[in-house]
Amino acid sequence: MKEHDHIEKLFREKLQNLEGDVPASAWENISNQIAATPAAGSAIAKTLSGKLIAGAGIITGAAAIIAGAIYFGNSEDHTNSQQQGTETVSQIGSNEDNASGLSDSEENMAEYNSDKTTSRLKNNNQSAGALQNEAYAGSTEQQLAEESANGEAASSSSNQTSSSQSPSRYGNSPKGPSRIMRGVEQVVNAGANNDRGNAPSGQQTTEVAKANISADKESGDWPLTVQFSNLGTGAEQLWDFGDGEQSTDLSPEHTFKKPGVYTVKLQTSSGRSNAEDKIQITVRSISEIVREPNVFTPNGDGENDLFSIEFKEMRAVTVSISSVNGELVHTWEGPDGSWNGMQMNSGKLLPDGLYYYIIRAVGNDGVVHNKKGSVTLLRSN
Amino acid sequence: MSDEELVKGCLAKDPAAQKLLFDTYSRKMMGVCLRYADDADEAQDMLQNGFIRVFEKLDSFKAMGSLEGWIRKIVVNESLTWIRKNKYRQNDIALEDVKTGINDESKKGTELNEKDLLKMIAKLPTGFRTVFNLYAIEGYSHKEIAEMLGITEGTSKSQYARAKAQLQKALSLEYELTEKRMA
């Protein structure tokens, strides 16, 4: 997964604000089609049309200039930016339209024309992002104000609405840099009707949420500390580590306190755009029962005279040994205990034969080991 | 001219307003369509359908919302519809030389330009491409994509993974070629 992450980013950055040449025939085809439907509200049409045509003239002019900037501007850095990246396309969040049945993430797009500004703003967004909650319910004006204060785009973002080629934006700066292609998409969703003060809700500074978990390791021995980060984007992150703990940090470091397989979930949101990703983290236990001999020879020759069990990283051990009849013959506590073949390790020799043992042990890592086995007592040989 | 006025004009079937709306957003929407299409001709089809739909539906546009976002959703949706209608009965053939309708831009070192990336996307099989676009670029979740395309979430995920793998391959190849050229 990791080695592919940059692909997503690369394509998103380069193509999200892609523009393409539109053949002249496209409009002909469309206008023929829509002309077939009868006009309504012709009174409005009359009052507006003069204005519209005038506006269209200006805009066409502006568009031509912009187009020039697009064609020639992209091969160079946008160092000619007089506007220092203050050009922002602002969008107003649409709350209700379901016309196309799609979700709203499409809306969270706008462009910045300056790479530098973009990355800076992005950072700001992310830091401010922790403030954003339940974006659908609308973030507060305060948040917008705060983010605006952070982002350089603020000055223009709140006052300009969606029309991306409105003459007011370009009329004054005909040499304005190309506004497409380069920028990472970011959204400044200004409040409705251009007016921050009057817009009660729905003001968000967001980008399209994208969840893409990166972890510096996906498995390891207990105790495992993993550094997580989101390679995607999101104003707000909620990490669920699968062990009952959560974090809203951008790139949390988390220590798993018990061995196991954890599904770590990241939910990220920006405005109304949500994304989720999961990753599995395996924390290996370090405590184990290393060796259980199946025979011992307590005959005093110095070899194999004791039955003991080798443990690793155990903090509590109880071993009990019983005869085949179920009679308890010995028990010990602690990882270093042993059995010498006598009843309770004292005096009475127990006969050769098979004995059963039960191990109950708790590792330093909290893992409980319960194990049964058998051992043969063999004195005569 | 605010969007609101523009929309009003279009609703009144004012041809100038309609043309203005189209001129304002068509280049961007063409960019969207190009990502979903095999080539520029298909993209134009999608774009036309998209805008026809936009004009049909304009009365349901709420002035509170972003006009561009609204248009974009419709255009994406119409692109998907177009693909459903026209593509799924055909074999997915990777096109070698795609007429993209995008202007050539100079390469900066080894950096790939939009056209290169678009070409790579265009070479993906339709299903892969659609899922990749929706997930990586539009930012939909696999769940949403599954609903939109009528596939399972698992299919969306696996198509996405495969699309990514294919793009990875194309990218490595491209970088190799670039290095050779530079050497």
Side-chain angles (χ1 to χ4, degrees), chain A residues 8-19 105-111 180-181 183-187 207-209 233, chain B residues 28-29 31-32 35 68 72 114 117 121 133-140:
Chain A
E8 232 175 87
K9 194 163 167 268
L10 174 71
F11 280 86
R12 189 171 58 234
E13 287 178 1
K14 292 271 186 180
L15 296 183
Q16 186 152 37
N17 297 317
L18 182 74
E19 298 194 3
S105 38
E106 272 282 336
E107 281 176 27
N108 295 330
M109 324 227 168
E111 312 108 325
I180 61 157
M181 307 282 197
V184 176
E185 63 296 330
Q186 294 259 298
V187 167
E207 55 201 357
V208 175
T233 52
Chain B
K28 270 185 200 173
M29 297 311 138
V32 172
R35 284 194 282 108
E68 181 178 333
R72 195 169 173 128
E114 289 82 5
L117 298 180
I121 288 192
N133 270 322
L134 290 170
Y135 186 84
I137 300 176
E138 256 82 61
Y140 289 104

Side-chain angles (χ1 to χ4, degrees), chain B residues 107-126:
Chain B
K107 274 193 199 284
K108 280 203 297 181
T110 58
E111 199 188 311
L112 294 163
N113 64 24
E114 289 82 5
K115 194 186 173 187
D116 294 326
L117 298 180
L118 188 61
K119 253 187 185 171
M120 287 177 197
I121 288 192
K123 282 184 189 176
L124 293 174
T126 306

